[in-house]
Amino acid sequence: MRHYETMFILKPTLTDEEKEKNLQNMQELIAKEGGEVVALDKIGIRELAYPIKKFERGDYYIIYYKAPSNAMLELERQMRYNEDLLRFMTVKYENKKEIKRWEEMAKNVQ
């Protein structure tokens, strides 16, 4: 199992139900592929550095999870086709020092 952090930005115009549905779908996909969601950080609505699809604000989230590499690939594949997402980025933590930092970040999520 590898350690991953995926940051993504949802459209700010989504309802709370639509946001929750997107979050549940991502978490279920990770679990279905054999992974485990450790933490979900809901950062909130922030200004974007530049407009994306005519939006100047976005709702930021970070998911910390452990999963085999195929789970991360499948998650990113699904995210590419999700029209509610503006952007996403995944970071893989490999060595002991990085993994320790990942564990600290995941533990500090409110």
Side-chain angles (χ1 to χ4, degrees):
M1 298 272 264
R2 298 179 184 242
H3 296 74
Y4 296 101
E5 166 189 318
T6 298
M7 187 277 303
F8 56 95
I9 306 170
L10 291 173
K11 291 179 179 177
T13 56
L14 298 177
T15 65
D16 289 338
E17 293 83 24
E18 291 171 324
K19 291 176 188 177
E20 198 58 41
K21 182 182 174 205
N22 275 298
L23 295 173
Q24 280 183 339
N25 287 343
M26 290 179 201
Q27 292 175 3
E28 289 171 3
L29 178 66
I30 291 168
K32 186 180 100 176
E33 295 291 325
E36 170 195 357
V37 175
V38 176
L40 173 65
D41 192 3
K42 298 178 182 182
I43 297 170
I45 296 179
R46 301 279 170 98
E47 292 287 325
L48 300 172
Y50 53 89
I52 302 173
K53 298 180 184 177
K54 299 185 181 178
F55 289 100
E56 294 185 9
R57 297 167 61 87
D59 202 359
Y60 285 72
Y61 295 88
I62 300 175
I63 296 179
Y64 297 95
Y65 58 100
K66 298 178 192 175
S69 59
N70 63 323
M72 185 272 302
L73 294 173
E74 181 61 21
L75 178 65
E76 285 194 346
R77 189 182 75 77
Q78 295 287 333
M79 291 173 105
R80 275 189 206 94
Y81 298 113
N82 188 341
E83 293 182 6
D84 294 336
L85 280 171
L86 298 176
R87 287 282 189 273
F88 67 89
M89 180 180 75
T90 300
V91 178
K92 177 173 68 171
Y93 293 87
E94 295 186 276
N95 62 40
K96 290 181 183 180
K97 186 176 180 180
E98 291 174 345
I99 291 172
K100 183 178 179 185
R101 180 68 182 133
W102 178 91
E103 289 169 350
E104 289 173 10
M105 289 187 301
K107 184 176 68 173
N108 291 330
V109 171
Q110 311 291 0

